[in-house]
Amino acid sequence: MKIVVIGGTGLIGRQVVALLSQAGHEAVAASPSTGVDTLTGEGLAQALQGADVVVDVSNAPSFDAGPALDFFTRSARHLSEAEHAAGVGHHVTLSIVGVDQVPDYGYYRAKVAQEEAARASGIPCDIVRATQFFEFIGPVMDMGTEGDEVRLPSTRLRPIASADVAAAVAGTAQRRPLPGVHAVAGPQTYRLDRLAEITLEARPDGRRVVTDETAGLFAGMPEGVLTGDDTTHLAPTRYEDWLARQPRP
């Protein structure tokens, strides 16, 4: 099959492209750097010519509500038009576990709008929702750093390795459409402040963790939003094992 991966040069996209190529498919990485811009529609018609499946793992350039909503809705509209013109038979969108449970969070509202646009396109659509990536823990810690303190709440989450997300997305793209939402998460639930402690125990850098329920992006998140429910598929990779394999800075 020809499978076009929108956002195919990013963290998830490049891994999806590699997995699909290894499985014998014609996997095309589509992103602004390869001449494909979903926000303007530039290059979409050419990239999707002859495509059987489109996988959308693109991300907005901003977490702010307005720009994110504009990016996801305009991109979805251009994608739908190009997919219909090319005769694409299956669409896969990567989204976020719990995205429809936090209406006050603007970026999540934008992702919900993306999901709704994909469903409304008329093309059979699978939505893969994933929890927060292991790779995101370090940047979250940096955002919460004040001097030598890492201030984070005790919000519970079940993070996942990006490689496991890519495997879930690639697997979905290769099977027949099963329209609906398919959730995937890591194997263990942690408190966010404890994740930071685990990270600094493995890689001490002089900082210490301070629990602050008002700090950071995930402060005040309702219980269960970042962990998934009993229907969520659990991927195999543990955070501690993943962390031990990462190269030292």
Side-chain angles (χ1 to χ4, degrees):
M1 291 190 293
K2 178 179 178 179
I3 305 175
V4 177
V5 182
I6 306 298
T9 57
L11 173 65
I12 301 296
R14 64 176 181 266
Q15 296 180 80
V16 172
V17 168
L19 289 169
L20 294 173
S21 297
Q22 290 165 14
H25 301 287
E26 179 187 355
V28 178
S31 68
S33 65
T34 65
V36 181
D37 189 340
T38 56
L39 193 58
T40 65
E42 179 183 358
L44 269 178
Q46 296 90 331
L48 266 60
Q49 187 173 8
D52 302 287
V53 184
V54 169
V55 174
D56 186 3
V57 295
S58 62
N59 198 10
S62 170
F63 285 106
D64 293 337
L69 181 62
D70 179 63
F71 175 84
F72 286 125
T73 52
R74 273 208 283 166
S75 294
R77 183 174 68 251
H78 290 143
L79 265 177
S80 176
E81 292 169 355
E83 286 171 341
H84 279 286
V88 171
H90 186 193
H91 179 98
V92 180
T93 293
L94 177 61
S95 190
I96 307 168
V97 164
V99 73
D100 52 357
Q101 299 178 47
V102 195
D104 293 334
Y105 189 11
Y107 181 80
Y108 275 32
R109 288 201 306 273
K111 288 294 291 183
V112 169
Q114 180 194 31
E115 290 187 4
E116 291 173 344
R119 292 189 191 97
S121 70
I123 295 169
C125 174
D126 284 285
I127 295 171
V128 177
R129 288 182 179 174
T131 51
Q132 285 63 41
F133 307 157
F134 291 164
E135 289 85 350
F136 194 40
I137 303 304
V140 167
M141 291 172 60
D142 292 341
M143 286 186 283
T145 295
E146 298 178 8
D148 63 353
E149 296 181 347
V150 182
R151 308 188 71 86
L152 292 172
S154 61
T155 306
R156 283 159 44 88
L157 67 162
R158 195 156 56 185
I160 185 171
S162 67
D164 289 339
V165 176
V169 171
T172 301
Q174 294 176 82
R175 60 163 171 73
R176 65 181 179 85
L178 295 172
V181 174
H182 317 283
V184 61
Q188 293 177 287
T189 298
Y190 302 85
R191 290 175 18 166
L192 182 56
D193 54 353
R194 178 57 188 150
L195 271 174
E197 289 174 345
I198 291 169
T199 303
L200 292 177
E201 287 164 5
R203 301 186 174 198
D205 61 10
R207 292 183 294 175
R208 64 186 181 90
V209 177
V210 175
T211 302
D212 182 346
E213 303 299 353
T214 68
L217 294 174
F218 300 124
M221 279 282 188
E223 182 70 19
V225 168
L226 306 178
T227 58
D229 57 25
D230 291 342
T231 67
T232 302
H233 173 75
L234 300 185
T237 308
R238 297 172 64 252
Y239 181 68
E240 291 89 342
D241 297 334
W242 173 88
L243 185 62
R245 295 196 297 266
Q246 301 312 299
R248 296 267 177 181

